[in-house]
Amino acid sequence: MNFSELFKLSGLLGRFSPDGKCLASCVQHRLVVRDASTLQILQLYTCLDQIQYIEWSSDSLFILCAMYKRGIVQVWSLEQPDWHCKIDEGSAGLVASCWSPDGRHILNTTEFHLRITVWSLCTKSVSYIKYPKACQQGVAFTKDGRYMAVAERRDCKDFISIFVCRNWQLLRHFDTETQDLFGIEWAPNGCVLAAWDTCLEYKVLLYSLDGRLLSSYRAYEWPLGIKSVAWSPSSQFLAIGSFDEKVRILNHVTWKKITELDHPATVASIKTIVYKEVEKSPTVGTERLSFPPTRSLASCLFSTQSKYEISQVPVSLQYIKPVADRANPKVGVGMLAFSGDNCFLATKNDNIPNAVWIWDVRKLKLTVVLEQLCTIQYFQWDPCQPRLAVCTGSSRVYLWSPAGCVVVQVPGEGDFQIVSVSWHPNGDSMLLLSKDHFCVCYLEREEV
Amino acid sequence: MGDWKTITVPVLSSDSKNTFPYTSERKRSPTSMSSQVLRLSLPSSKSMHSFFSAFCTEENIEQSISYIDRELTTLGFPSIYAESKGKELNLVSMVNCMNELLVLQHKNLRAQEEIEIQHLKLGSDMDHLQNCYAKLKEQLELSKREIVGLQERDRQLQTKNRNLHQLLKNEKDEVQKLQNVISSRATQYNHDMKRKEREYNKLKERLHQLVMNKKDKKLAMEVLNYVGRADGKRGAWRTDKTEARNEEEMYKVLLSDYEQRQKQLLLENTELKKVLQQMKKDIISLLPPQKQKPKERSEDGLVLSDQEEDIGELNKENMWELSCETVREQLTNSIRKQWRMLKNHVEKLDNQVSRGHSGALNEKDVISREDHELQTEKLELEIQQCKEMIRTQQQLLQQQLTCDDDTTLLLQDCYLLEERERLQEEWRLFREQKKNFEKERKSFTEAAIRLGLERKAFEEDRGAWLKHQFLSMTADCKSENATIPATTPSSDPDIHIVRSTSLQRRPPSVSSSTASPEPCQISQYIIQNSVAETPAADNMPNLWVESDDKEETE
């Protein structure tokens, strides 16, 4: 495992290109494009203001940089560095911006979610989508990029519109039986759209591509409901994480719950492996001590090494009782992710913030629990193999695969608190992001 | 009531029978006391008289007077005698004394009466108290029982109270939980509301700004040059055709997805159907045919025929063609039936086993115990024998199979050697015997030859002798022309001799296939005898062979 040096970064804006060749990162108002393997700077672009969001186009030829404060989106081309494009929303303001799947249209969401403007880079045409819903996931594209679903709200009612991305024509428009639509997501096969309600109502609605309601699922009525939703890569399962610390899995044939995955504070099953991160005190030979202490020695002395140990079941995990009178309590399953081969599901229960729960999808049983020393910040599955990268805000990155798990300390001086992880599309390297820096970790093929 | 001591007056006279009759005992009962008291009342005048007369008589008057005087003085009365020592009585003092005594007596009587009355009173009080005590005791019992009952009730009520408390607590907890839920919802609501409120306010402000600020920049996009489309095609106008095409495409996508899923489901279905078929076959094979009772036979027969039909049908045609309701139902129903039968069968077996353990006899399969036992013994013996046989056979098989090639070869060689040796032995024997026979035959032939020679000689002699005789006879009397056949009379003894010799020769049995032809008769007889013998001789080799066989088999 090799680590690159630390580079500056702002706003956690580091992205690999979809084709895996380049890496884009932002430092304040500058966009730096590097080669993904050598990290040599290929291009350097300067934007008008501090960049708040960047996104690669699907063909990796363009990058958009959005500056919300100024309401400007700038698009840069990799092939032609002197090509430029600037989209100014003016007084309408800008809240969100994204590419369309064909990589030639930019969808800007204006302030107060007044409308979504579809700017075309090919033609002079502009399209508007009125009354988009201001929710977490209001716009969803199918995996093949053919259709786009937009959540709308008119007259205090929720609607979903399905557009054909090729010519932005409205295909279907139907209302949903939700109180306050919170999010929509397409199944990977592009034929089913899942829409779920706000956390005050536990309701998941499943619509077919042509707008028919296939099924609706409601687990319980009064307590807080859905926190996170994830489709399995084969579209067979829909995992719903809710505030009652459970994940319910629906199957695609009957759209009924097939199992409930519970996250108790005590792991009692004998078949579960619990890996616990323990600190190991650093060993420094006394004869090597020198005054003034060198930097590496200092970092060595003060940084804590850790490793994984297997705890004996039953294990009781650190459980945090949430504050009762706050909105959006830190309770329930907040992070859900299926592995790329549809074999594993990783979840995080916000009550037990130091643990990652890994479930075997074939048996629908808990296989592994990773107990860390600090709160889990983020985890992401390797797109190619069943390998999970976890970061907890320390300068260590944790990798788990069915063969075992490993703790890797990022070498370097100073503290590098990893807050986010992003895998390279071919699974050979990882981007580790902290508030001010980023680092690329190259994995060898045989590792883990 | 005081101890009434025995007062025995020291009787001066010998009237012992007049001792003070009023003896009393300690601790007398009040009633007896009262009777005694009564009895202790003034004695009747008659007895008094007698008593008085008993004490003082004419004779001891002086002594009794002096005794009385002494008593009185000890009691504190003045003396009844006059001043001077003499026997003169002071009448005055005596009268006084008597008066005093009378007064005293009266007093005593009164006191006694009072005491009696008190005694009675006390007695009645005691009775009364005892009655009260008994009543109170009864009351105490009653109240104790009441207390116990009340305690029991109290305890029950307390448990009920506790239960109610528990229920109340549970209800309270639930209420609390619901309240928590409600409160969390409320906070979420409030939070959302506030957020909306704030946004609304911002909107209002912005609107206000917009309304104020008319000199607004136009929304525009500056681009150096327009980029070609990703897929290279040109943009198309929005027309009905495009709309129709969109719809078509959408439906195509949906249909392809459904078709794919249906294919998968079909595959799964065929797999499952195969599994079910297999299961059905297995279940049918598991069910023992003889267990089916006659009355069930008709049903089973029907079912079986159905199954066979099913099996036939489903085997003939392709599985995936038969996806209609009825066939599917048939299959599942038949499997359910078979499964039920199997279950019943297993349950029956379980019952039988349990009943067998408990020793109860089934009414239907009544076999007398002795028969049963005999049969079981027989069967056990059979089993034992079979087992032993099997074991021995297995051992042999094992030996043959499990030993490796060398040993098998060796063994085979051993067997062969054994056989060969045996055969050699037999050959030896055979040769010996053959030699013997040859010898015997030779000797016999020699003997026969000798015999022939002797015979010849004898014949010659006889001939000579006959000739001589004849000559002599003819010489003597030529009339006797009795030609005695040469052979017959003389041959008989010869034959007899020969027979005897051949008889003698018989024991060493001869395979006389080659008899010497020289003495024809002899040989004939010999041949005859030998022919007679050959069945026996033939038997010998047969026996031999049989013995060989026997040897081999052994």
Side-chain angles (χ1 to χ4, degrees):
Chain A
M1 217 180 260
N2 292 326
F3 289 90
S4 72
E5 54 181 72
L6 298 177
F7 297 101
K8 274 196 171 280
L9 185 77
S10 67
L12 294 178
L13 295 170
R15 305 248 189 288
F16 279 113
S17 64
D19 62 358
K21 289 194 198 142
C22 307
L23 167 65
S25 60
C26 297
V27 186
Q28 300 298 323
H29 56 273
R30 258 192 240 119
L31 176 69
V32 183
V33 179
R34 296 168 194 269
D35 180 71
S37 39
T38 62
L39 293 183
Q40 264 188 344
I41 297 180
L42 296 173
Q43 306 280 354
L44 190 62
Y45 305 101
T46 312
C47 296
L48 295 167
D49 195 13
Q50 186 173 21
I51 306 171
Q52 259 118 23
Y53 181 70
I54 62 168
E55 192 178 326
W56 286 90
S57 68
S58 53
D59 53 5
S60 308
L61 291 176
F62 298 97
I63 306 177
L64 74 79
C65 306
M67 290 140 267
Y68 299 143
K69 282 191 221 138
R70 290 271 295 263
I72 297 175
V73 173
Q74 278 186 284
V75 187
W76 305 102
S77 159
L78 283 183
E79 288 176 320
Q80 300 173 8
D82 27 322
W83 185 91
H84 64 270
C85 170
K86 184 178 81 163
I87 301 169
D88 191 350
E89 287 289 341
S91 49
L94 187 64
V95 172
S97 179
C98 65
W99 282 104
S100 71
D102 64 356
R104 295 290 179 269
H105 294 83
I106 292 175
L107 287 88
N108 282 348
T109 310
T110 57
E111 215 167 347
F112 305 117
H113 287 80
L114 284 174
R115 60 167 190 251
I116 296 180
T117 321
V118 183
W119 298 95
S120 165
L121 291 175
C122 324
T123 67
K124 289 191 193 166
S125 62
V126 178
S127 309
Y128 296 101
I129 300 172
K130 276 168 88 170
Y131 312 118
K133 181 122 198 231
C135 57
Q136 202 187 51
Q137 264 174 264
V139 175
F141 293 100
T142 58
K143 202 166 165 190
D144 53 9
R146 271 203 225 188
Y147 302 102
M148 174 179 81
V150 179
E152 297 173 11
R153 192 166 176 101
R154 292 162 208 255
D155 302 328
C156 304
K157 271 184 73 142
D158 290 319
F159 294 88
I160 292 180
S161 298
I162 300 182
F163 293 92
V164 181
C165 292
R166 206 185 44 219
N167 43 23
W168 303 109
Q169 286 187 3
L170 177 67
L171 188 65
R172 285 284 186 276
H173 179 80
F174 50 89
D175 68 335
T176 65
E177 297 161 7
T178 52
Q179 287 227 353
D180 188 8
L181 186 60
F182 196 65
I184 52 176
E185 191 168 335
W186 285 103
N189 65 4
C191 295
V192 181
L193 178 68
W196 59 96
D197 211 340
T198 176
C199 57
L200 291 168
E201 280 281 319
Y202 192 123
K203 203 186 227 171
V204 170
L205 297 161
L206 292 145
Y207 290 96
S208 159
L209 178 58
D210 56 348
R212 285 173 302 127
L213 176 65
L214 293 172
S215 170
S216 101
Y217 175 71
R218 173 184 245 189
Y220 47 79
E221 201 171 338
W222 293 114
L224 291 179
I226 300 173
K227 199 161 185 189
S228 54
V229 171
W231 281 99
S232 78
S234 60
S235 313
Q236 275 176 310
F237 303 113
L238 178 64
I240 306 169
S242 47
F243 279 90
D244 65 345
E245 304 177 46
K246 287 192 189 152
V247 174
R248 289 172 176 81
I249 298 190
L250 309 183
N251 77 90
H252 73 308
V253 178
T254 58
W255 299 116
K256 292 219 193 310
K257 175 186 83 169
I258 52 173
T259 186
E260 264 181 27
L261 305 176
D262 198 5
H263 298 77
T266 311
V267 177
S269 155
I270 305 173
K271 296 196 182 148
T272 311
I273 309 173
V274 179
Y275 292 103
K276 194 182 157 83
E277 185 194 0
V278 291
E279 281 192 10
K280 55 179 188 192
S281 46
T283 50
V284 180
T286 40
E287 60 271 12
R288 284 185 34 208
L289 286 172
S290 61
F291 190 81
T294 58
R295 210 145 175 211
S296 59
L297 197 63
S299 66
C300 178
L301 279 172
F302 289 115
S303 70
T304 48
Q305 299 279 322
S306 72
K307 61 178 168 76
Y308 275 119
E309 258 182 19
I310 297 183
S311 312
Q312 286 294 329
V313 182
V315 172
S316 67
L317 303 162
Q318 191 190 0
Y319 180 90
I320 294 179
K321 207 164 154 71
V323 185
D325 53 354
R326 286 261 196 93
N328 297 322
K330 283 206 179 334
V331 193
V333 179
M335 274 198 234
L336 274 182
F338 276 95
S339 69
D341 57 354
N342 204 14
C343 287
F344 297 102
L345 170 65
T347 63
K348 179 193 159 198
N349 184 6
D350 293 336
N351 283 51
I352 306 175
N354 292 7
V356 179
W357 307 65
I358 301 179
W359 308 79
D360 185 339
V361 174
R362 278 171 292 199
K363 296 178 207 156
L364 291 175
K365 283 220 160 76
L366 182 62
T367 53
V368 171
V369 176
L370 298 174
E371 196 185 345
Q372 312 294 135
L373 290 170
C374 315
T375 310
I376 310 280
Q377 297 288 329
Y378 191 67
F379 55 73
Q380 198 181 46
W381 286 100
D382 184 335
C384 306
Q385 340 168 5
R387 195 157 56 165
L388 184 69
V390 181
C391 61
T392 63
S394 61
S395 60
R396 292 182 283 269
V397 69
Y398 308 90
L399 284 166
W400 175 87
S401 81
C405 55
V406 77
V407 180
V408 186
Q409 173 84 25
V410 176
E413 321 100 15
D415 51 358
F416 175 53
Q417 282 158 343
I418 306 173
V419 174
S420 181
V421 170
S422 174
W423 282 94
H424 192 272
N426 63 8
D428 281 340
S429 51
M430 264 196 311
L431 186 62
L432 307 169
L433 304 160
S434 84
K435 208 158 62 107
D436 300 316
H437 297 92
F438 77 91
C439 155
V440 181
C441 162
Y442 296 94
L443 301 159
E444 279 142 44
R445 279 275 156 188
E446 313 83 42
E447 216 137 12
V448 191
Chain B
M1 287 297 292
D3 294 344
W4 295 81
K5 290 191 214 138
T6 320
I7 304 169
T8 48
V9 173
V11 173
L12 304 161
S13 61
S14 56
D15 293 350
S16 56
K17 58 181 175 183
N18 297 327
T19 47
F20 201 72
Y22 303 111
T23 54
S24 62
E25 302 139 9
R26 286 177 183 240
K27 298 177 188 168
R28 243 184 284 166
S29 63
T31 47
S32 57
M33 278 295 269
S34 49
S35 61
Q36 283 290 346
V37 166
L38 285 167
R39 260 193 271 134
L40 271 167
S41 57
L42 289 167
S44 58
S45 51
K46 258 193 189 165
S47 55
M48 278 297 277
H49 275 298
S50 61
F51 172 62
F52 286 143
S53 59
F55 174 65
C56 180
T57 54
E58 303 284 333
E59 291 89 41
N60 59 352
I61 196 166
E62 300 226 352
Q63 283 146 351
S64 40
I65 290 171
S66 68
Y67 171 71
I68 284 172
D69 182 51
R70 266 204 314 274
E71 288 291 313
L72 286 171
T73 46
T74 48
L75 281 172
F77 289 106
S79 166
I80 53 171
Y81 284 126
E83 292 296 332
S84 61
K85 264 202 212 165
K87 293 177 190 162
E88 285 182 13
L89 294 166
N90 193 348
L91 265 173
V92 172
S93 67
M94 203 156 50
V95 167
N96 283 338
C97 288
M98 248 207 274
N99 189 38
E100 288 292 329
L101 282 170
L102 279 171
V103 164
L104 204 64
Q105 171 77 349
H106 279 307
K107 231 195 323 186
N108 284 342
L109 278 175
R110 270 203 301 275
Q112 194 179 328
E113 266 179 44
E114 274 177 19
I115 286 170
E116 273 174 32
I117 291 165
Q118 224 179 20
H119 189 265
L120 279 170
K121 262 198 230 161
L122 286 173
S124 66
D125 277 1
M126 182 97 126
D127 282 335
H128 175 69
L129 282 173
Q130 273 180 358
N131 287 339
C132 285
Y133 172 70
K135 262 187 242 158
L136 284 171
K137 217 166 154 178
E138 268 178 47
Q139 268 181 18
L140 184 70
E141 279 300 308
L142 265 172
S143 43
K144 268 193 189 156
R145 256 180 260 139
E146 255 185 64
I147 284 173
V148 166
L150 285 171
Q151 271 179 351
E152 182 63 39
R153 230 181 79 189
D154 181 51
R155 194 184 56 79
Q156 278 176 4
L157 286 172
Q158 278 212 355
T159 52
K160 205 164 153 193
N161 191 26
R162 245 180 284 137
N163 290 344
L164 286 172
H165 269 295
Q166 191 65 35
L167 274 173
L168 183 66
K169 206 171 88 140
N170 293 346
E171 289 300 313
K172 275 196 184 150
D173 287 352
E174 240 191 86
V175 163
Q176 191 65 36
K177 232 197 302 181
L178 284 171
Q179 275 181 349
N180 287 344
V181 163
I182 289 171
S183 65
S184 65
R185 288 180 76 86
T187 45
Q188 193 76 26
Y189 273 129
N190 290 338
H191 177 83
D192 284 353
M193 283 304 282
K194 280 198 194 125
R195 202 162 33 92
K196 287 201 159 68
E197 187 85 50
R198 268 182 245 128
E199 202 164 333
Y200 177 64
N201 288 336
K202 268 201 279 187
L203 254 174
K204 272 205 294 192
E205 275 186 46
R206 173 58 74 92
L207 197 61
H208 187 73
Q209 267 181 27
L210 276 172
V211 162
M212 292 292 111
N213 188 4
K214 296 231 171 94
K215 289 171 276 172
D216 200 3
K217 270 194 292 183
K218 240 196 170 162
L219 311 159
M221 178 168 98
E222 283 174 33
V223 66
L224 187 65
N225 54 300
Y226 286 105
V227 189
R229 282 172 69 96
D231 50 359
K233 287 195 206 146
R234 291 216 208 140
W237 293 103
R238 178 194 297 205
T239 56
D240 289 333
K241 223 194 328 179
T242 53
E243 278 182 24
R245 204 160 7 118
N246 285 341
E247 294 273 318
E248 206 188 293
E249 270 185 34
M250 175 189 81
Y251 284 124
K252 260 195 230 166
V253 165
L254 276 174
L255 278 173
S256 67
D257 180 61
Y258 281 133
E259 269 173 19
Q260 203 193 23
R261 255 200 267 167
Q262 205 207 4
K263 260 189 234 156
Q264 283 178 358
L265 286 170
L266 270 173
L267 279 170
E268 237 187 276
N269 250 4
T270 50
E271 282 287 327
L272 288 170
K273 269 200 196 133
K274 271 190 222 152
V275 169
L276 277 176
Q277 289 277 346
Q278 191 63 41
M279 262 178 63
K280 203 169 74 167
K281 279 189 205 141
D282 286 340
I283 290 174
I284 292 170
S285 66
L286 272 176
L287 283 174
Q290 64 264 22
K291 265 286 170 178
Q292 292 165 356
K293 296 208 176 88
K295 62 173 171 152
E296 284 184 25
R297 195 170 275 281
S298 52
E299 293 176 22
D300 292 342
L302 274 171
V303 170
L304 276 170
S305 63
D306 278 343
Q307 289 162 10
E308 281 159 23
E309 276 176 34
D310 279 349
I311 293 166
E313 271 179 36
L314 293 168
N315 284 338
K316 280 181 220 158
E317 311 176 37
N318 272 331
M319 301 289 185
W320 61 273
E321 283 180 45
L322 302 168
S323 54
C324 59
E325 278 287 325
T326 45
V327 176
R328 210 187 325 135
E329 271 178 26
Q330 254 182 18
L331 179 60
T332 47
N333 285 342
S334 66
I335 284 195
R336 275 205 207 103
K337 259 191 231 149
Q338 292 302 312
W339 184 252
R340 233 181 285 136
M341 277 168 57
L342 182 68
K343 217 170 62 161
N344 288 342
H345 177 53
V346 170
E347 274 169 13
K348 245 189 263 170
L349 285 175
D350 272 343
N351 287 344
Q352 276 187 5
V353 165
S354 59
R355 262 187 268 140
H357 282 310
S358 62
L361 288 171
N362 194 3
E363 285 178 6
K364 291 177 189 170
D365 320 292
V366 166
I367 311 170
S368 70
R369 183 158 245 169
E370 297 88 30
D371 286 349
H372 196 254
E373 282 177 359
L374 278 171
Q375 262 201 337
T376 46
E377 278 175 23
K378 250 194 277 171
L379 287 167
E380 273 173 11
L381 274 170
E382 263 188 62
I383 288 168
Q384 279 277 332
Q385 286 171 0
C386 291
K387 271 192 193 160
E388 280 177 23
M389 218 164 64
I390 288 168
R391 227 180 284 145
T392 48
Q393 284 191 355
Q394 253 191 347
Q395 275 177 3
L396 287 171
L397 254 174
Q398 282 271 330
Q399 278 179 4
Q400 276 197 4
L401 289 170
T402 54
C403 49
D404 29 65
D405 296 325
D406 295 342
T407 48
T408 44
L409 279 172
L410 275 171
L411 277 170
Q412 280 176 3
D413 284 347
C414 290
Y415 289 140
L416 284 170
L417 276 170
E418 233 184 272
E419 267 196 55
R420 199 189 294 166
E421 279 181 14
R422 219 183 321 123
L423 281 170
Q424 280 181 352
E425 274 281 328
E426 283 164 8
W427 269 107
R428 204 167 47 73
L429 275 167
F430 176 69
R431 274 192 226 111
E432 270 184 38
Q433 285 187 354
K434 199 171 163 189
K435 261 191 244 166
N436 290 340
F437 287 147
E438 288 281 347
K439 263 194 247 162
E440 279 172 9
R441 203 195 306 139
K442 259 195 222 152
S443 55
F444 192 68
T445 48
E446 276 171 18
I449 292 166
R450 248 188 289 121
L451 220 86
L453 285 171
E454 277 178 8
R455 198 188 186 94
K456 219 201 261 173
F458 184 69
E459 289 284 331
E460 280 173 11
D461 278 341
R462 204 183 60 176
W465 186 76
L466 277 173
K467 219 193 282 177
H468 184 65
Q469 188 84 21
F470 182 64
L471 285 172
S472 65
M473 274 178 69
T474 47
D476 288 339
C477 46
K478 284 194 187 149
S479 56
E480 279 185 79
N481 291 337
T483 51
I484 305 159
T487 56
T488 39
S490 56
S491 63
D492 291 323
D494 294 336
I495 290 161
H496 279 300
I497 292 164
V498 170
R499 208 177 272 161
S500 68
T501 50
S502 71
L503 279 167
Q504 277 170 13
R505 291 236 191 266
R506 205 177 293 164
S509 55
V510 175
S511 59
S512 53
S513 49
T514 59
S516 68
E518 289 177 49
C520 311
Q521 298 97 353
I522 299 166
S523 59
Q524 264 185 3
Y525 281 115
I526 290 165
I527 286 163
Q528 278 178 16
N529 291 331
S530 62
V531 167
E533 283 295 318
T534 38
D538 280 343
N539 284 334
M540 277 306 289
N542 289 340
L543 281 169
W544 196 16
V545 168
E546 276 175 23
S547 71
D548 275 344
D549 285 346
K550 271 211 193 115
E551 275 181 54
E552 279 175 22
T553 52
E554 281 164 9

